[in-house]
């Protein structure tokens, strides 16, 4: 759930999602759920020549399972806090497993 | 150090805040500093360099050329289902 | 990042409560806020690269979809054509992305294209897909790094 919480902090911020079919979509995060399905608003397809149909979309729901990468602005990330959260989640997870 | 590593992900925990190499499905490799991970091997990396192998077909000869394309990305979330391997930094000291 | 300082696995209230703010009763966890698209015309890009357009009537937490008045849209260079398909249930795992179509943008885009004969377009598009598939299977050395089940043809 670390990354669900992580991406909730990006609601309203711009990210670039790269899908496994090489489509690249930039947009503002509208919402995200625990499967990391993500909904973007004001979208822009960065490689439109590969999929001209998508140009007509206003917003886009992207299924988490087809995502390869999500690029975010480094300025939106507090690295220290993120590492700390990752350590904490891993410790908790091991505790639960035992 | 070795005593703390009981399961595979323990090794990734040790690599936090270190430069790692990630090999991905689809002939891609990433090099970057590990900022976060979870049990699915979802990762966040910073100062990433991606190397992707692309096949280009020469229109005239029909020959296939394998080209490596590099890209830099300052902060990147990587979905765990594409990860083939994670290599922690070499500890020479 | 403020959320993360306080966040812990056992105390994340978002895991218990419906997480879409401002939409009471929308308790389906997962499947982000598809509720906003109910009864709207949406475009679905499937994992195999096909485009399906239809009115979203229902969905669930896996993003399984029920679409009505559905058609598949084929694009070939500067021509297009639609094949009516009726009611569709799309299994969630085959959905790559979906979105609401901006009618103005769509009309503008379609006005630049010509309509084409359905049979002919379908035949060419299918041939192209077959060729791509065959090409991917023709790369012996690369097989071990290529996972066809999640490749997009």
């Amino acid at each position: 759930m670390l990354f669900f919480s992580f991406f909730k902090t990006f609601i309203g911020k711009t990210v670039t999602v790269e899908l496994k079919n090489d489509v690249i979509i930039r947009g503002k995060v509208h919402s995200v759920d625990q499967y990391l399905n993500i909904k973007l608003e004001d979208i822009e397809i960065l490689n439109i020549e590969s999929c001209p149909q998508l140009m007509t979309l206003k917003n886009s729901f992207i299924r988490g399972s087809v995502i390869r990468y999500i690029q975010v602005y480094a300025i939106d990330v507090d690295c220290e806090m993120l590492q700390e959260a990752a350590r904490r989640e891993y410790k908790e997870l091991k505790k639960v497993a035992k | 150090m070795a005593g703390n590593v009981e399961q595979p992900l323990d090794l990734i925990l040790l690599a936090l805040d270190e430069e790692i190499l990630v090999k991905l499905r689809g002939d891609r490799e990433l090099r970057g500093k590990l900022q976060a991970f979870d049990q699915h091997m979802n990762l966040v990396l910073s100062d990433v360099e991606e190397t992707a192998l692309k096949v280009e077909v020469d229109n005239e000869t029909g020959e296939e050329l394998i080209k490596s394309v590099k890209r830099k990305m300052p902060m990147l979330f990587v979905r765990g289902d594409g990860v083939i391997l994670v290599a922690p930094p070499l500890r020479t000291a | 990042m403020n959320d993360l300082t306080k966040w812990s696995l056992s105390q994340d209230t978002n895991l218990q409560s419906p997480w879409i703010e401002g939409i009471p009763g929308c308790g389906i966890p997962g499947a982000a806020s598809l509720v906003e698209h109910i009864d709207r015309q949406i475009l679905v890009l499937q994992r195999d690269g096909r485009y399906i357009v239809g009115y979203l009537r229902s969905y669930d937490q896996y993003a399984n979809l029920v679409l009505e008045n559905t058609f598949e849209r084929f694009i070939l260079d500067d021509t297009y054509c639609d094949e009516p398909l009726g009611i569709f249930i799309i299994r969630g795992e085959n959905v790559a992305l979906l979105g609401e179509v901006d009618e103005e943008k769509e009309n503008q885009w379609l006005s630049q294209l010509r309509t084409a004969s359905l049979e002919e377009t379908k035949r060419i598009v299918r041939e192209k897909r077959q060729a791509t598939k065959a090409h991917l299977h023709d790369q012996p050395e690369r097989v071990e790094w290529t996972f066809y089940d999640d490749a997009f043809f």
Side-chain angles (χ1 to χ4, degrees):
Chain A
M1 287 301 155
L2 170 67
F3 290 104
F4 175 35
S5 303
F6 175 68
F7 281 112
K8 274 192 296 188
T9 68
F10 281 88
I11 289 176
K13 294 187 170 142
T14 300
V15 301
T16 307
V17 181
E18 182 172 327
L19 307 189
K20 289 176 185 151
N21 62 355
D22 295 323
V23 176
I24 304 177
I25 307 170
R26 177 174 296 159
K28 219 168 69 185
V29 179
H30 169 277
S31 50
V32 57
D33 65 25
Q34 70 267 46
Y35 305 120
L36 304 185
N37 297 328
I38 196 164
K39 236 185 112 177
L40 301 180
E41 297 175 306
D42 304 332
I43 61 165
E44 179 191 358
I45 314 289
L46 299 188
N47 48 353
I48 197 70
E49 64 290 343
S50 65
C51 44
Q53 289 239 49
L54 299 181
M55 178 177 69
T56 59
L57 295 184
K58 291 190 260 201
N59 48 32
S60 171
F61 165 93
I62 302 166
R63 203 166 190 274
S65 60
V66 303
I67 292 171
R68 179 186 290 140
Y69 302 139
I70 302 177
Q71 279 191 64
V72 301
Y73 289 110
I75 197 165
D76 294 329
V77 181
D78 181 330
C79 294
E80 224 171 279
M81 223 180 265
L82 181 58
Q83 287 178 22
E84 203 36 58
R87 285 201 180 90
R88 207 164 50 229
E89 151 135 326
Y90 189 57
K91 266 186 212 146
E92 273 194 55
L93 203 83
K94 283 190 90 173
K95 229 191 285 167
V96 173
K98 275 179 192 165
Chain B
M1 170 206 131
N4 298 332
V5 181
E6 297 162 354
Q7 350 175 318
L9 282 173
D10 290 346
L11 201 63
I12 300 189
L13 182 72
L14 288 176
L16 262 183
D17 205 28
E18 309 264 2
E19 171 124 339
I20 58 168
L21 170 81
V22 183
K23 205 173 168 90
L24 296 171
R25 287 184 179 193
D27 300 305
R28 286 161 201 272
E29 278 182 17
L30 302 172
R31 222 172 259 281
K33 197 174 179 189
L34 182 65
Q35 300 292 350
F37 71 96
D38 68 8
Q39 71 271 36
H40 309 293
M41 275 201 213
N42 292 323
L43 309 169
V44 169
L45 303 173
S46 62
D47 298 312
V48 189
E49 186 179 66
E50 182 204 53
T51 312
L53 294 184
K54 302 236 159 98
V55 182
E56 280 186 9
V57 181
D58 190 316
N59 281 336
E60 282 165 28
T61 62
E63 236 178 295
E64 288 191 352
L65 301 166
I66 296 183
K67 240 177 69 177
S68 87
V69 185
K70 284 194 196 287
R71 236 188 338 163
K72 284 199 176 1
M73 295 167 276
M75 190 66 71
L76 186 70
F77 165 83
V78 182
R79 191 162 164 103
D81 58 3
V83 174
I84 292 172
L85 68 85
V86 175
L90 287 175
R91 287 164 202 271
T92 43
Chain C
M1 293 297 293
N2 287 335
D3 280 359
L4 285 178
T5 52
K6 286 170 256 145
W7 179 80
S8 86
L9 187 66
S10 45
Q11 287 164 2
D12 195 330
T13 50
N14 284 288
L15 299 182
Q16 285 105 48
S17 59
W19 59 276
I20 303 165
E21 285 167 41
I23 302 177
C26 170
I28 296 183
S33 39
L34 289 181
V35 67
E36 293 166 21
H37 299 305
I38 286 282
D39 293 336
R40 303 274 186 90
Q41 194 179 38
I42 58 168
L43 169 70
V44 181
L45 170 58
Q46 299 194 140
R47 252 162 51 119
D48 61 3
R50 289 160 60 175
Y51 293 92
I52 305 286
V53 181
Y55 286 86
L56 182 66
R57 297 303 187 201
S58 184
Y59 69 93
D60 63 15
Q61 71 268 38
Y62 307 108
N64 293 325
L65 309 174
V66 176
L67 298 176
E68 205 181 356
N69 296 340
T70 309
F71 59 85
E72 177 170 0
R73 179 162 284 170
F74 297 93
I75 307 285
L76 195 62
D77 303 321
D78 60 344
T79 62
Y80 80 98
C81 61
D82 296 338
E83 179 181 30
L85 296 165
I87 291 187
F88 250 45
I89 301 171
I90 304 182
R91 194 176 148 85
E93 63 179 335
N94 296 310
V95 176
L97 70 86
L98 62 86
E100 242 171 90
V101 176
D102 186 322
E103 268 180 53
E104 208 173 295
K105 278 190 198 163
E106 191 190 30
N107 290 337
Q108 198 199 348
W109 178 58
L110 290 182
S111 68
Q112 295 164 6
L113 303 178
R114 291 178 292 119
T115 50
S117 115
L118 181 60
E119 287 312 310
E120 184 63 5
T121 310
K122 258 170 78 174
R123 191 181 60 76
I124 300 173
V125 168
R126 297 229 160 105
E127 268 171 19
K128 276 194 171 177
R129 278 185 198 145
Q130 285 301 324
T132 316
K133 235 180 198 171
H135 175 71
L136 281 174
H137 281 270
D138 266 352
Q139 299 175 359
E141 308 233 326
R142 301 163 56 75
V143 165
E144 82 181 281
W145 301 115
T146 310
F147 296 80
Y148 300 119
D149 55 340
D150 63 15
F152 288 72
F153 298 122

